[in-house]
Amino acid sequence: MSALVAEAVSKNFGGVQALSNVSFTVEPGERHLIIGPNGAGKTTMFNMLSGAFPVSSGRVTLFGQDITNLSANARARLGLARTFQITNLFPRLSVMENIVLALQAQSKSAFSMFSRIRADRDLFARAGTLLDEWGLSEIADHAAREISYGQQRQVDLILAMAGKPKVLLLDEPTAGLSAAEVVRVVGMVHSLPQDMTILMIEHDMDVAFDLADKITVMHQGGVIAEGTTEEIRHHPKVTEIYLGAD
Ligand SMILES: Nc1ncnc2c1ncn2[C@@H]1O[C@H](COP(=O)(O)OP(=O)(O)OP(=O)(O)O)[C@@H](O)[C@H]1O
Ligand SMILES: [Mg+2]
């Protein structure tokens, strides 16, 4: 069974048709990249998949279940997580507190007063372990607004993966990063568990080609090509829009 399927998804914003009949399939464990020029509809597609906005028409399924009319929270509870194109941290809270809040939001059980104290301690311990694993412990107590933009994007990624989602949507996690930070974030994506399905929007072709099992190319609200890295690299339509855009 496929992990995530978009079937003929369309979206209008007033008179603007941002998506028209977009279909694609993401298989379990796949590293599936979405590329395409500015305004192609990539982020809008993520909003449809994650439930941020309703579709105008079409259908979305997650492991065979129709999620088209579910709220973003309900989709998250089914194992669908996402990051945003712009960092989404609470600026005044510490990195540790941001991660604890995310873990708390993902933990399903309601706590009594006393079990809550233990639960909070567990959450802080788990947040500490996560920061350790990803080599960011030294910024645990820094306010999110005080760390570098590159570090913020890494924390965004940790938040999204913290709940061990089945399907993770990443919207341009390397945008605006230095070359060294790009290498680091690509490394983080490479080291995610193999059974975690990843759908990622990426501007940098080298990054996309490095990570992808499969690539979907969007342009003007539609899919214009789909295939392996090799197929996309030599695809005449893809070469045309990228050369045309430059
Ligand atoms: N909330 C909205 N209201 C109105 N129009 C929107 C909205 N969101 C997106 N659009 C329009 O939909 C089209 C696709 O935008 P989208 O942000 O999905 O593109 P994108 O491929 O993610 O581009 P980028 O590479 O710049 O991030 C654009 O014409 C955009 O102006
Ligand atoms: Mg976008």
Side-chain angles (χ1 to χ4, degrees):
M1 188 188 298
S2 299
L4 187 64
V5 181
E7 291 171 35
V9 170
S10 296
K11 180 66 179 178
N12 310 303
F13 292 108
V16 180
Q17 178 130 38
L19 296 172
S20 55
N21 281 313
V22 174
S23 297
F24 57 79
T25 298
V26 185
E27 299 302 339
E30 197 167 69
R31 272 59 184 141
H32 193 125
L33 274 284
I34 299 183
I35 63 171
N38 292 119
K42 305 179 298 296
T43 297
T44 303
M45 197 58 216
F46 266 27
N47 288 333
M48 304 293 103
L49 297 172
S50 67
F53 303 137
V55 301
S56 298
S57 63
R59 213 164 86 98
V60 180
T61 63
L62 183 69
F63 294 103
Q65 179 179 351
D66 190 332
I67 59 166
T68 318
N69 297 313
L70 295 186
S71 67
N73 282 336
R75 294 179 205 209
R77 282 195 294 275
L78 292 174
L80 183 69
R82 77 173 287 186
T83 61
F84 291 84
Q85 196 162 356
I86 306 290
T87 180
N88 203 29
L89 303 175
F90 293 105
R92 290 166 190 274
L93 297 186
S94 72
V95 168
M96 176 71 98
E97 287 163 339
N98 268 281
I99 295 178
V100 166
L101 277 179
L103 290 171
Q104 205 166 41
Q106 289 153 0
S107 70
K108 293 167 189 105
S109 44
F111 301 119
S112 73
M113 275 286 264
F114 289 109
S115 66
R116 169 141 215 151
I117 294 169
R118 169 164 305 172
D120 284 351
R121 234 187 267 140
D122 286 350
L123 292 178
F124 273 92
R126 277 172 61 199
T129 307
L130 277 168
L131 283 169
D132 233 16
E133 274 171 15
W134 296 103
L136 293 172
S137 342
E138 74 275 15
I139 58 165
D141 299 326
H142 294 216
R145 65 176 173 193
E146 285 161 6
I147 62 176
S148 74
Y149 180 73
Q151 288 170 326
Q152 289 177 10
R153 297 320 308 258
Q154 291 171 47
V155 176
D156 281 336
L157 200 54
I158 291 173
L159 293 185
M161 65 172 84
K164 300 195 171 65
K166 296 192 186 102
V167 179
L168 180 58
L169 310 181
L170 304 175
D171 194 348
E172 298 200 34
T174 71
L177 302 191
S178 71
E181 288 167 337
V182 170
V183 170
R184 215 181 125 68
V185 166
V186 171
M188 287 173 85
V189 177
H190 268 303
S191 54
L192 291 172
Q194 268 310 310
D195 60 353
M196 194 181 280
T197 305
I198 297 168
L199 181 64
M200 171 168 157
I201 300 171
E202 179 56 55
H203 250 103
D204 184 322
M205 294 288 236
D206 291 333
V207 169
F209 289 150
D210 174 17
L211 284 169
D213 299 318
K214 193 166 180 191
I215 300 179
T216 296
V217 187
M218 291 186 64
H219 185 44
Q220 296 176 345
V223 172
I224 58 150
E226 189 167 80
T228 61
T229 297
E230 274 318 295
E231 287 162 352
I232 294 305
R233 205 191 288 277
H234 304 295
H235 198 292
K237 274 193 199 161
V238 178
T239 326
E240 191 186 306
I241 52 168
Y242 277 94
L243 291 180
D246 281 350

